[in-house]
Amino acid sequence: MGARQAADWLTRAGDDLRQAATDLARTQVEPCAMTWAVCPDHGNTLTSMAGVSTCRVCGRSRPTPRPGEPCGAPVTWKVIDPAGTETRMCAGHILGARAVSHGATFIPLDQALT
């Protein structure tokens, strides 16, 4: 293999590596940073008593998170408020946000990446 062929091969390999890194970044799971407790399937439907949160819709219970503890569920939505501020949320938090965020734009994250 000549020097020119080796240089071309390295250039292609570098391009492939950059594309793979871009693709990987798109698939990384970003955790939801919202700090209020929600049911992942029904949103703001929780009641809490004695350190346990229970969904009023499905009846599932889980320990109530500590105040200020981030949700941690995978982010699946991008929300842009009327002032242009962007926030990323999981499916459970988006349900609550839609109920109170007038004039905001809600974009599924898979569409936001394309």
Side-chain angles (χ1 to χ4, degrees):
M1 177 185 307
R4 184 71 196 141
Q5 285 178 316
D8 289 344
W9 182 83
L10 287 172
T11 298
R12 282 194 307 274
D15 291 344
D16 290 347
L17 186 58
R18 277 187 289 281
Q19 184 60 49
T22 299
D23 293 345
L24 181 61
R26 286 183 175 201
T27 62
Q28 293 295 311
V29 176
E30 178 184 349
C32 181
M34 299 293 102
T35 57
W36 72 90
V38 294
C39 172
D41 296 322
H42 302 104
N44 287 341
T45 56
L46 299 180
T47 58
S48 296
M49 178 182 270
V52 176
S53 294
T54 303
C55 177
R56 293 184 306 274
V57 176
C58 66
R60 280 188 296 183
S61 295
R62 61 185 55 82
T64 301
R66 293 183 311 252
E69 182 178 354
C71 169
V75 165
T76 54
W77 289 85
K78 176 168 75 170
V79 181
I80 303 170
D81 71 15
T85 303
E86 180 181 311
T87 305
R88 293 174 182 246
M89 297 180 189
C90 67
H93 280 102
I94 204 73
L95 293 170
R98 282 186 177 206
V100 298
S101 299
H102 303 289
T105 302
F106 298 87
I107 304 167
L109 202 54
D110 58 350
Q111 289 181 13
L113 294 174
T114 58

